[in-house]
Amino acid sequence: SQPMGFWSPHSLCQDARRHGVIVRSPDLHASRVGASLEPDPASEGGLAVRLGLGSVRGLGDDLAARIVEAAPFVSIEDLVRRVPEVQLPHLEALATAGAFGECLGLERRAALWAVGAASQSRPDRLEGVITGQRAPTLPGMDPVEVAIADLWATGVAPDGHPTRFLRDDLEQRGVVPATRLASIEPGGRVLVAGVVTHRQRPMTAQGTMFMNLEDETGLINVVVSKGCWERHRRDARGAAALLVRGRLESSEGVINVVAEVLTPLPVPAALTSRDFR
């Protein structure tokens, strides 16, 4: 149902994974245009979610449909020759998303090297005469780099929530993850951290802002009073991720952190929040 909806695809996929659903990156052969289900004997229920080619940056559903219809391909050059609408920016986005990994055995950096050469081939040129497709030995991407690549290419990092890579440091600073907030006595002071997914400042709230943070374990509701907003306006309005110190409230099973201090949190990668008035 995207791009409609309150939650971003990344937040939806992270929540699905926290509930045991396996989410996989796009693949040139396994993906359809949109997200789909595929067999996975190792998962509970025997199914996994595969992201669609239409989610890859710049492709769009029409071009993704032409690729799906023409698949499978024996190489990137084969893709370029049989679907000539695919241009270099599309190939770079597919490579960054890891779409050539499972099907063609090309790690992301090797694929990025190969697409530059493959893009020179077209149906009106001789096949197999392009040079430079074979990449030298390149280091693989570490988990942080993979997460950054996923977020850039598709807006979804199935295995790489940004706070996951900061958890050891956050633990040393006394940051409480979302899943442990329910064990804290209401009224106590807590320090939480996460990527800002939403900011809402209703006209009827008399200057109060409601914010959602997300860490790798779940979601955190943050209430920012008018006074706190005035003190931390720049960070409250623009930071991609925040450390929030405040007082914990709990009512009818809903847990909120009433913010007292907001501090920007540098993260390896984050998406733009969805802001509402």
Side-chain angles (χ1 to χ4, degrees):
S1 62
Q2 293 300 321
M4 297 176 66
F6 185 77
W7 298 99
S8 70
H10 177 72
S11 290
L12 293 173
C13 286
Q14 289 295 318
D15 188 63
R17 288 185 64 81
R18 288 191 289 268
H19 287 81
V21 178
I22 293 174
V23 181
R24 292 178 176 152
S25 297
D27 179 83
L28 188 65
H29 292 164
S31 289
R32 301 178 185 176
V33 176
S36 58
L37 295 175
E38 63 183 32
D40 188 325
S43 69
E44 184 177 350
L47 295 171
V49 174
R50 172 73 68 176
L51 297 181
L53 292 181
S55 68
V56 176
R57 189 185 191 108
L59 252 69
D61 288 350
D62 290 343
L63 182 53
R66 287 194 282 274
I67 294 173
V68 170
E69 184 179 356
F73 307 96
V74 297
S75 65
I76 299 176
E77 183 183 2
D78 186 32
L79 165 64
V80 170
R81 295 182 68 84
R82 291 169 52 203
V83 189
E85 300 93 337
V86 175
Q87 302 296 316
L88 180 57
H90 303 132
L91 295 172
E92 290 174 336
L94 286 164
T96 304
F100 301 124
E102 295 179 43
C103 58
L104 300 181
L106 290 173
E107 189 273 337
R108 299 186 198 215
R109 284 202 172 106
L112 280 167
W113 178 286
V115 297
S119 66
Q120 304 168 30
S121 184
R122 291 295 156 190
D124 59 348
R125 301 179 185 176
L126 288 175
E127 185 175 1
V129 298
I130 60 175
T131 60
Q133 284 197 89
R134 187 180 297 276
T137 302
L138 298 170
M141 290 185 176
D142 63 30
V144 174
E145 291 171 324
V146 169
I148 292 171
D150 282 336
L151 287 173
W152 179 86
T154 67
V156 176
D159 298 315
H161 193 282
T163 58
R164 167 189 164 198
F165 308 112
L166 306 175
R167 182 50 58 189
D168 289 344
D169 178 62
L170 294 177
E171 290 281 356
Q172 292 178 8
R173 297 166 76 168
V175 173
V176 180
T179 49
R180 289 198 349 232
L181 289 176
S183 64
I184 295 177
E185 194 72 23
R189 258 54 182 190
V190 293
L191 180 63
V192 296
V195 174
V196 181
T197 63
H198 298 87
R199 294 176 173 90
Q200 300 178 78
R201 203 175 184 199
M203 298 298 291
T204 57
Q206 299 180 335
T208 298
M209 182 172 69
F210 303 95
M211 187 182 300
N212 293 106
L213 300 185
E214 182 183 62
D215 66 17
E216 76 277 18
T217 73
L219 296 158
I220 304 166
N221 300 321
V222 177
V223 180
V224 183
S225 67
K226 184 177 181 180
C228 184
W229 165 268
E230 293 296 336
R231 292 194 303 273
H232 303 282
R233 177 188 296 267
R234 177 181 297 179
D235 299 329
R237 173 181 289 173
L242 288 168
L243 283 162
V244 178
R245 187 176 298 278
R247 177 171 46 84
L248 188 131
E249 288 185 344
S250 179
S251 176
E252 298 181 354
V254 178
I255 297 174
N256 297 316
V257 175
V258 180
E260 297 170 349
V261 180
L262 306 177
T263 307
L265 175 67
V267 291
L271 296 172
T272 303
S273 65
R274 296 183 169 198
D275 300 337
F276 303 90
R277 288 194 67 86

